[in-house]
Amino acid sequence: MNKISTVSELEKQFLESLFDSALDIKNSWPNIEQIGTGKTVCLLFWEPSTRTKLSFEHAAKSLGFKVIDFSPSSSSIAKGESLEDTIKTLLALKVDGFIIRHPQDKISLKIQDLLPEEIFFINAGDGSYAHPSQALLDVFTMREKCEDLSKLKVAAIGDIKHCRIIASQVEILNKLGCNDVKFYGPKDLLNNNLTPCSSEITDGCLADRDILYIIRVKHERLKENESIDMDHFKSTYQINESFLEKTKFKGSIMHPGPINIDLEISQDVAISEKSLILNQVENGLYTRAALLQIIT
Ligand code: CP
């Protein structure tokens, strides 16, 4: 397999071998096998990114790949060139693989069909649909905290509806034996396909959870008829010391980033000992290097 649009096609054996490779890379960083020598990867990001783009770039260069950083806004896309013709042009320039982020839901599936068999591809996030490498690095990080994932209890809170990570994360967790994920957020930001879910934050409701995965409100993905009462969001769902006290949450805090301080999370919680936020960023480097190693 050399194209990753979603995590659906990834089997348990693939996931375990990916996490083993990511751990090997972590333990030997920065001395890693130069499997990318002679190959070129193109980063094509239609949406802003810090973590995903830079960790893929750093991972690819550390593996010996040449990296082309393609910026749609300063390319001929601004003169009307289509995504399809852009990809054909880059293929003519002898690119061996693509890592693509795009605002359109499910465009990764179209891109996957467009590319020749030998060209590798990783979806770096498409609309609200999928962000497989983020879900992989999150579960890798959870596994560092709890090796036996069948015992792990997770809660996700915030904008579940527009999040492109959470469904993939649950799919990976299920494949690896974790079936205990609960979802919290305002009614309008929950997803009926992800249950059990609740808008109520009751006393002690997170007492048994090991991980609290925080999701910011994805304002950039709200439709015209969707509006969020941010004052209500902050007062009910912001993760701060009083929230942790009320819910009796004692586990680890995760957030895919970027974080919005004093909206979905307070500064003191973000930098507390409970926070794995920067561990996630670091593990993104190793997990993405392992992904490139396995699929190229
Ligand atoms: N989590 C995530 O995808 O971050 P970036 O948008 O910075 O890549």
Side-chain angles (χ1 to χ4, degrees):
M1 185 192 323
N2 70 350
K3 294 182 181 62
I4 312 278
S5 292
T6 71
V7 299
S8 301
E9 59 266 41
L10 308 182
E11 293 180 352
K12 183 177 178 191
Q13 201 183 349
F14 178 100
L15 296 168
E16 284 174 345
S17 125
L18 176 83
F19 291 157
D20 288 346
S21 301
L23 189 58
D24 286 346
I25 289 170
K26 182 169 188 166
N27 290 334
S28 58
W29 188 267
N31 302 311
I32 54 174
E33 203 185 338
Q34 296 299 287
I35 56 97
T37 305
K39 293 183 190 157
T40 301
V41 57
C42 180
L43 305 176
L44 229 166
F45 277 58
W46 260 266
E47 278 184 352
S49 168
T50 300
R51 282 148 286 270
T52 312
K53 188 171 172 191
L54 295 185
S55 59
F56 266 125
E57 181 173 357
H58 193 20
K61 285 180 175 167
S62 301
L63 289 163
F65 286 91
K66 286 188 201 131
V67 177
I68 295 179
D69 181 0
F70 180 96
S71 166
S73 61
S74 58
S75 75
S76 287
I77 288 170
K79 295 184 251 172
E81 193 159 39
S82 67
L83 168 65
E84 192 170 353
D85 285 332
T86 302
I87 288 178
K88 281 184 191 161
T89 302
L90 288 158
L91 287 171
L93 292 171
K94 310 310 284 176
V95 164
D96 299 288
F98 292 90
I99 297 166
I100 301 181
R101 173 172 286 190
H102 196 283
Q104 190 178 319
D105 281 0
K106 298 194 182 182
I107 201 163
S108 59
L109 304 177
K110 282 189 201 157
I111 294 169
Q112 179 158 335
D113 289 344
L114 207 69
L115 293 174
E117 204 176 318
E118 69 280 9
I119 299 296
F120 68 88
F121 164 61
I122 301 171
N123 175 14
D126 56 342
S128 301
Y129 182 58
H131 189 357
S133 65
Q134 179 70 45
L136 288 165
L137 76 90
D138 289 335
V139 177
F140 177 82
T141 306
M142 291 178 195
R143 223 174 64 141
E144 286 186 324
K145 277 278 151 194
C146 176
E147 205 173 323
D148 180 358
L149 288 176
S150 69
K151 297 197 172 108
L152 188 74
K153 295 179 187 305
V154 180
I157 187 164
D159 188 354
I160 311 290
K161 182 177 174 183
H162 302 101
C163 181
R164 58 189 168 200
I165 304 162
I166 202 70
S168 307
Q169 200 186 96
V170 171
E171 211 174 329
I172 299 170
L173 284 169
N174 289 170
K175 285 179 188 183
L176 297 177
C178 170
N179 292 298
D180 193 346
V181 186
K182 292 181 174 173
F183 306 91
Y184 295 89
K187 197 165 169 289
D188 291 344
L189 294 181
L190 290 173
N191 175 345
N192 292 334
N193 296 322
L194 295 171
T195 56
C197 60
S198 174
S199 300
E200 301 288 316
I201 305 296
T202 53
D203 289 353
C205 67
L206 300 178
D208 69 340
R209 300 290 103 184
D210 302 299
I211 300 286
L212 180 57
Y213 192 88
I214 304 169
I215 302 161
R216 71 180 171 87
V217 177
K218 313 283 183 183
H219 291 284
E220 71 277 21
R221 290 185 212 136
L222 296 184
K223 306 235 161 41
E224 267 174 27
N225 60 351
E226 293 178 303
S227 71
I228 305 304
D229 179 348
M230 285 309 291
D231 289 334
H232 171 65
F233 184 90
K234 282 197 283 183
S235 62
T236 309
Y237 304 102
Q238 183 188 92
I239 312 307
N240 51 39
E241 285 302 336
S242 64
F243 180 97
L244 297 179
E245 205 169 303
K246 176 182 164 70
T247 58
K248 309 258 184 304
F249 178 70
K250 301 275 185 297
S252 301
I253 299 281
M254 294 179 65
H255 189 312
I259 59 175
N260 294 139
I261 293 295
D262 292 335
L263 288 182
E264 73 275 3
I265 188 169
S266 66
Q267 173 73 8
D268 48 357
V269 171
I271 61 168
S272 69
E273 285 196 349
K274 285 179 185 302
S275 171
L276 299 179
I277 296 171
L278 291 177
N279 303 60
Q280 288 171 263
V281 178
E282 181 183 345
N283 287 335
L285 183 60
Y286 312 132
T287 313
R288 288 175 173 128
L291 204 50
L292 285 167
Q293 207 173 53
I294 289 178
I295 70 160
T296 63

